[in-house]
Amino acid sequence: VWVGDESGRGVASVESLVLRPVDAGQLSAVGGAARDALFRVEWVDAPVPGVGGEVASEAEVVRVVSAGVDVVGEVYGRVVEVLERVQEWLADEGRVGERLVMLTQGAVDVGGGVADMAGSAVWGLVRSAQSENPGRLVLVDTDDMDGVEGVLAGVLALGEEQVVVRSGAVRIPRLGRLPSLGVVESGGFGSGAVLVTGGTGVLGGVVSRHLVARHGVERLVLLSRRGAEAGGAAELRAELEAAGAEVLVEACDVADRG
C-alpha cells in the first residue's frame, strides 16, 4: 500500500498487513471509560531464538559504560560519543543493511529504577535516531554486561529495536493501557495557577483548553520563548478567557536556568 498527498508525493507505505477477526465483545470492551484511559510502555517477556555464539558480522556492538561519579559529565560525554558514532555509522554507505548495537547497563527502569543516567540519556538519543533510521540501530540494556554475551546473538535475531535483559530473561516493549482514573473533579489542581510550558504552541493550546473545559482550571500561566508575540497567542488567550479562565502569557525560555 502506497499513500500519497494531494500532490502525488509519497508520504507513507505499508509493506505487509495482517488482518484478524474481532467480535462484538472485544469492541465493547474498549468503550466507555477505557476509551479515555492513558497508555504506558510495558516490558513483556520475549522468547529468544536458540541462537548462540558470536554476534553476526553485520552487527557492531558498542558498549556504553559510565566510568566515574561525575553524573553530569558522564551524561554529556557518553551522549556526545554515541552521537558521533551513530552519525558516522549512518553516513557510511558501506554499512547499509548492517546494524549498530548500543549495549548499556541499568539504563532502563523495568521495576528496579535507573542505575546509569548516562546510559539512559543515550537511550533517549538513539530512540530518536531509530525513528529516522528504522532497522539500523538497536538498543540493548542489561544487568550483566559480561553475561549478556551468551544471549546477545539470540536477542538480535528477534529483530526488535529495543530490548532489556534481566537475569537472563529477555523483555521487549509493548504499549499497555493504564486503568482509567476517572475524571478529576473541579478544583483537583488546587487553587493556584497551572503553568504550561510551550503554552502558546499547538500542543500547549490543546492542553490548556482541556484543563479549562474538562478540569475547570481557572488560572493559567502560558510560557513560551516569544510569549504574547508568538503566533496565535492572542487568539488562544481570548478563547481561554471567554471560557472563564484568567490567563497570563509570559516570554520565558525554560532551558535558560536564569
Side-chain angles (χ1 to χ4, degrees):
V1 178
W2 287 90
V3 182
D5 60 15
E6 63 274 11
S7 69
R9 182 183 61 177
V11 295
S13 65
V14 179
E15 294 184 358
S16 64
L17 177 67
V18 177
L19 302 178
R20 288 183 251 178
V22 178
D23 59 38
Q26 289 175 293
L27 293 176
S28 299
V30 298
R35 182 176 297 136
D36 295 324
L38 299 176
F39 294 87
R40 65 183 174 190
V41 173
E42 296 178 344
W43 292 92
V44 302
D45 292 336
V48 179
V51 179
E54 297 182 355
V55 175
S57 59
E58 63 269 15
E60 178 181 323
V61 179
V62 175
R63 293 173 176 240
V64 181
V65 182
S66 297
V69 295
D70 178 11
V71 176
V72 175
E74 286 292 323
V75 169
Y76 181 80
R78 299 294 82 73
V79 167
V80 170
E81 290 173 2
V82 170
L83 173 61
E84 293 176 349
R85 185 67 190 100
V86 168
Q87 289 176 330
E88 292 173 358
W89 176 274
L90 296 175
D92 186 350
E93 296 182 358
R95 296 287 191 178
V96 175
E98 300 182 10
R99 290 182 293 175
L100 180 63
V101 184
M102 297 297 168
L103 184 60
T104 61
Q105 182 169 337
V108 178
D109 182 9
V110 291
V114 173
D116 183 8
M117 292 299 296
S120 187
V122 166
W123 268 67
L125 171 72
V126 176
R127 273 194 298 236
S128 296
Q130 286 177 331
S131 67
E132 301 173 354
N133 304 275
R136 300 293 311 280
L137 306 168
V138 181
L139 286 164
V140 179
D141 187 68
T142 180
D143 56 355
D144 183 358
M145 190 66 81
D146 295 323
V148 76
E149 293 291 345
V151 298
L152 193 54
V155 166
L156 296 181
L158 288 172
E160 296 282 338
E161 291 191 337
Q162 299 170 30
V163 182
V164 165
V165 181
R166 293 292 184 272
S167 300
V170 177
R171 301 177 187 175
I172 53 179
R174 291 295 182 264
L175 195 62
R177 190 185 293 274
L178 278 172
S180 177
L181 301 178
V183 178
V184 178
E185 297 297 331
S186 178
F189 284 86
S191 59
V194 175
L195 183 146
V196 182
T197 61
T200 61
V202 175
L203 292 180
V206 171
V207 171
S208 298
R209 295 183 185 95
H210 178 77
L211 289 171
V212 173
R214 182 73 176 271
H215 301 291
V217 170
E218 298 179 348
R219 301 175 62 196
L220 285 169
V221 178
L222 308 183
L223 297 187
S224 67
R225 282 175 290 184
R226 295 179 59 198
E229 299 300 320
E235 293 79 1
L236 175 61
R237 178 177 181 176
E239 179 184 343
L240 295 171
E241 289 179 339
E246 177 185 346
V247 182
L248 180 64
V249 180
E250 288 289 340
C252 175
D253 184 355
V254 295
D256 185 335
R257 183 181 296 272

